[in-house]
């Protein structure tokens, strides 16, 4: 590489760590010295601090984002055969837990510009068996939550927000009131996987809710179905956030808004450099929501995606395809419900999207190097 001396990463976890190294090292050592590894004071403090940050009544930490979705669905008392609607263009975890619990995943298409779940398509998919909708706030901005809540009210459905990619995003309601992503539906589920916007140094996740009863149920289910130790009221799971991860998350939570601002600055740089090129569609900003840019995802038009990715890779620039195969065309989730071509937007997106490096540590020199390379390839 000519001008960029540091290796370019999709996500620069080490670069981010270096800036808060002394705080993180002290926090991790503190947990080790206290030996309060499970449900220690760090977990309780993190829970309270995240509740304050989000403006939500209850945060229930758990072991990962997939568990969060599973525990949420268990707490809602959904039964075998109940239908849960979610997007066809998403990470598999969302549909996986639906199927795992014996519920029926009902997939619907997304909007071509924002990648968010298509609300008209949801409306058409609702049947008497529909019990819940899981909107995925894909790549860092909210689905249209106010419309979704109206739909849920009309049909008496639960909304579980999959906020694994959008922690910290603000949704603005028609009356001007702002709410954090994940705190609008009945339950919000997030992940602290290292590469997520608020990532720990291992696995972690959480459920959020403003409902006292649901909070108590989720707390119980996450802890082997016990409200009181050794008294098991329901069949639960074992899903805990460990104290070392909580200590790390407490420090990183203080920087979350700063990280989102850095991601937005990188996204703006990409937009300015790439928008207007007829072969590249830069990501659209949805109405009523801020964007925390978990991913910066382009749609390519008449560009050989594999060749572009190889061209970039040869210059030391990583890229990723989120996601290459629509859920309804995955071996595990095929169903007679869906024929090929069922979700044309999702199928088109899977064929044309490419995500560029996106994290809090990108500088202008690197961004220029990346965008110059993309333009060189598509304009050749
Ligand atoms: C990461 C992710 C999950 C799962 O989170 P884990 O902590 O890896 O289990 C679920 N849904 C979406 C949309 C995600 O991006």
């Amino acid at each position: 590489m000519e001008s960029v001396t540091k290796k370019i990463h999709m996500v620069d976890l080490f670069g981010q760590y270096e800036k808060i190294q002394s705080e993180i090292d002290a926090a991790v050592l503190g947990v080790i010295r206290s030996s309060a590894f499970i449900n220690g004071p760090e977990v309780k403090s993190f829970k309270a601090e995240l509740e304050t940050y989000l403006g939500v009544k209850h945060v229930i930490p758990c072991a990962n984002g997939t568990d969060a979705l599973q525990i949420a669905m268990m707490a809602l008392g959904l039964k075998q055969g109940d239908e849960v609607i979610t997007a066809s263009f998403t990470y598999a975890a969302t549909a996986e837990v639906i199927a795992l619990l014996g519920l029926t995943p009902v997939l619907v298409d997304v909007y071509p510009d924002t990648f968010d779940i298509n609300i008209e398509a949801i409306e058409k998919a609702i049947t008497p068996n529909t019990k819940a909708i899981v909107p995925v706030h894909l790549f860092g901005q909210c689905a249209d939550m106010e419309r979704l809540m109206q739909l849920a009210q009309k049909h008496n459905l639960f909304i579980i927000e999959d906020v694994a990619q959008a922690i910290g995003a603000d949704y603005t309601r028609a009356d001007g009131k702002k709410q954090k992503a994940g705190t609008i539906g009945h339950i919000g589920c997030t992940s602290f996987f290292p590469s997520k916007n608020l990532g720990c140094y291992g696995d972690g996740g959480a459920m959020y809710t403003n409902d006292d009863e649901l909070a108590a149920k989720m707390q119980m289910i996450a802890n082997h179905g016990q409200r009181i130790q050794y008294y098991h009221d329901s069949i639960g799971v074992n899903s805990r956030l460990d104290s070392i991860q909580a200590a790390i998350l407490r420090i990183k939570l203080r920087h979350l808004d700063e990280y989102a601002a850095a991601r937005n600055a990188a996204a703006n740089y990409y937009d300015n450099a790439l928008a207007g090129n007829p072969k590249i569609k830069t990501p659209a900003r949805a109405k009523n929501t801020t964007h925390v840019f978990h991913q910066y995802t382009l749609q390519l038009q008449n560009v050989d995606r594999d060749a572009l990715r190889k061209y970039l890779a040869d210059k030391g620039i990583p890229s990723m395809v989120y996601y290459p195969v629509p859920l309804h065309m995955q071996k595990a989730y095929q169903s007679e419900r869906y024929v090929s071509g069922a979700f044309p937007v999702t199928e088109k997106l899977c064929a044309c999207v490419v995500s560029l490096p996106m994290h809090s540590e990108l500088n202008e020199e690197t961004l220029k190097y990346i965008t110059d390379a993309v333009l060189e390839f598509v304009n050749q």
Side-chain angles (χ1 to χ4, degrees):
M1 276 178 273
E2 306 99 44
S3 60
V4 179
T5 47
K6 273 177 85 174
K7 187 172 174 346
I8 302 174
H9 305 272
M10 275 309 281
V11 182
D12 187 2
L13 297 178
F14 189 76
Q16 194 184 55
Y17 161 70
E18 277 184 305
K19 292 187 179 160
I20 50 172
Q21 181 171 4
S22 57
E23 280 177 279
I24 294 274
D25 291 1
V28 170
L29 268 178
V31 174
I32 295 172
R33 293 204 170 112
S34 76
S35 299
F37 296 116
I38 301 293
N39 288 334
E42 294 289 344
V43 178
K44 294 182 181 71
S45 300
F46 172 63
K47 168 186 163 76
E49 286 159 12
L50 189 56
E51 284 165 353
T52 304
Y53 173 83
L54 295 169
V56 74
K57 227 166 149 188
H58 305 280
V59 165
I60 298 111
C62 68
N64 58 68
T66 310
D67 275 8
L69 288 162
Q70 179 177 335
I71 295 163
M73 283 179 216
M74 289 170 78
L76 292 173
L78 305 186
K79 286 183 221 48
Q80 202 138 29
D82 286 348
E83 293 173 6
V84 180
I85 299 175
T86 194
S88 49
F89 187 59
T90 181
Y91 183 54
T94 325
E96 181 179 47
V97 297
I98 299 171
L100 206 59
L101 292 173
L103 313 171
T104 305
V106 175
L107 303 174
V108 298
D109 215 346
V110 296
Y111 291 120
D113 46 354
T114 59
F115 312 115
D116 281 329
I117 193 161
N118 184 314
I119 296 181
E120 293 79 29
I122 294 177
E123 232 173 330
K124 284 194 200 129
I126 292 173
T127 75
N129 294 326
T130 307
K131 293 290 151 53
I133 304 170
V134 187
V136 183
H137 302 320
L138 203 70
F139 300 152
Q141 61 186 349
C142 293
D144 193 345
M145 283 308 297
E146 211 161 14
R147 269 183 78 197
L148 274 171
M149 292 312 289
Q150 283 161 3
L151 197 62
Q153 213 159 26
K154 185 170 152 200
H155 297 275
N156 201 21
L157 307 174
F158 294 113
I159 301 276
I160 304 170
E161 294 176 69
D162 183 339
V163 69
Q165 301 190 2
I167 191 166
D170 283 309
Y171 181 82
T172 307
R173 293 159 42 130
D175 65 6
K177 193 178 160 213
K178 283 191 192 326
Q179 286 174 290
K180 287 283 180 203
T183 68
I184 306 159
H186 299 90
I187 302 174
C189 295
T190 203
S191 163
F192 305 122
F193 186 82
S195 63
K196 298 286 156 89
N197 289 34
L198 179 61
C200 59
Y201 294 173
D203 273 308
M207 293 77 74
Y208 329 144
T209 187
N210 284 307
D211 183 312
D212 296 340
E213 203 180 314
L214 277 177
K217 268 195 194 152
M218 289 192 287
Q219 183 73 64
M220 180 176 82
I221 291 165
N223 185 27
H224 297 291
Q226 50 189 348
R227 257 185 235 277
I228 303 164
Q229 203 175 18
Y230 306 126
Y231 292 82
H232 302 268
D233 294 349
S234 70
I235 295 172
V237 296
N238 175 24
S239 189
R240 296 183 284 242
L241 179 72
D242 74 64
S243 302
I244 288 181
Q245 302 307 338
I248 292 163
L249 288 166
R250 286 186 69 197
I251 293 161
K252 290 188 68 176
L253 178 60
R254 294 172 207 143
H255 296 278
L256 183 59
D257 287 343
E258 195 186 296
Y259 294 156
R263 287 171 177 271
N264 269 278
N268 290 338
Y269 188 98
Y270 280 141
D271 279 353
N272 288 332
L274 303 175
N277 189 295
K279 294 187 174 170
I280 298 171
K281 192 167 159 203
T282 54
R285 311 291 203 273
K287 275 187 299 181
N288 308 331
T289 169
T290 59
H291 203 319
V292 293
F293 284 100
H294 177 61
Q295 298 298 343
Y296 185 88
T297 302
L298 299 173
Q299 294 181 51
L300 302 171
Q301 277 143 0
N302 301 317
V303 175
D304 180 341
R305 181 171 65 183
D306 290 341
L308 167 66
R309 295 191 61 210
K310 184 175 182 311
Y311 184 83
L312 295 177
D314 288 346
K315 288 174 166 288
I317 302 167
S319 64
M320 291 290 284
V321 173
Y322 301 113
Y323 297 92
V325 182
L327 274 188
H328 68 286
M329 289 162 77
Q330 297 279 1
K331 207 167 147 196
Y333 299 104
Q334 273 166 5
S335 147
E336 64 282 2
R337 268 174 187 278
Y338 316 118
V339 288
S340 176
F343 305 120
V345 176
T346 297
E347 287 169 37
K348 178 169 174 276
L349 289 175
C350 288
C352 79
V353 289
V354 65
S355 299
L356 297 180
M358 174 49 77
H359 51 80
S360 56
E361 311 304 312
L362 286 161
N363 60 33
E364 284 207 2
E365 187 194 5
T366 307
L367 289 163
K368 182 172 187 320
Y369 181 76
I370 296 168
T371 51
D372 283 352
V374 171
L375 290 170
E376 262 160 42
F377 182 84
V378 301
N379 291 333
Q380 75 193 349

